[in-house]
Amino acid sequence: MDVIFNFLLTVAALVVSVGLYFLPTIIALVRKKRSSGAIMVFNLIVFGFLMTLGLIGSIGWIILIIWSLLPDKEF
């Protein structure tokens, strides 16, 4: 029983982690931003920096959160 519980807990933690990591993309898609595709691509690129360089990736993730929360400009 402990093995099943640990497995389910691990899967839940993985799902929550991935969801938090892609939060800028999720926000951009929900808000129907014109730049949601660019945010998604940069979110994937930041993943590599986050895994290798830590702080630089974290700064990039924060920038993506801010970008996804900014309103679209009207031209």
Side-chain angles (χ1 to χ4, degrees), residues 3-40:
V3 174
I4 295 171
F5 178 73
N6 286 338
F7 175 74
L8 292 176
L9 190 60
T10 302
V11 169
L14 183 64
V15 168
V16 168
S17 297
V18 169
L20 284 175
Y21 177 76
F22 284 103
L23 189 61
T25 300
I26 294 167
I27 291 171
L29 291 172
V30 168
R31 296 184 73 215
K32 296 180 175 137
K33 289 188 64 76
R34 288 182 292 200
S35 57
S36 61
I39 291 172
M40 184 184 312

Side-chain angles (χ1 to χ4, degrees), residues 34 72-75:
R34 288 182 292 200
D72 282 334
K73 290 184 178 179
E74 296 296 324
F75 293 104

Side-chain angles (χ1 to χ4, degrees), residues 36-54:
S36 61
I39 291 172
M40 184 184 312
V41 169
F42 283 119
N43 206 180
L44 289 170
I45 291 171
V46 166
F47 179 74
F49 285 113
L50 188 61
M51 292 298 125
T52 57
L53 301 175

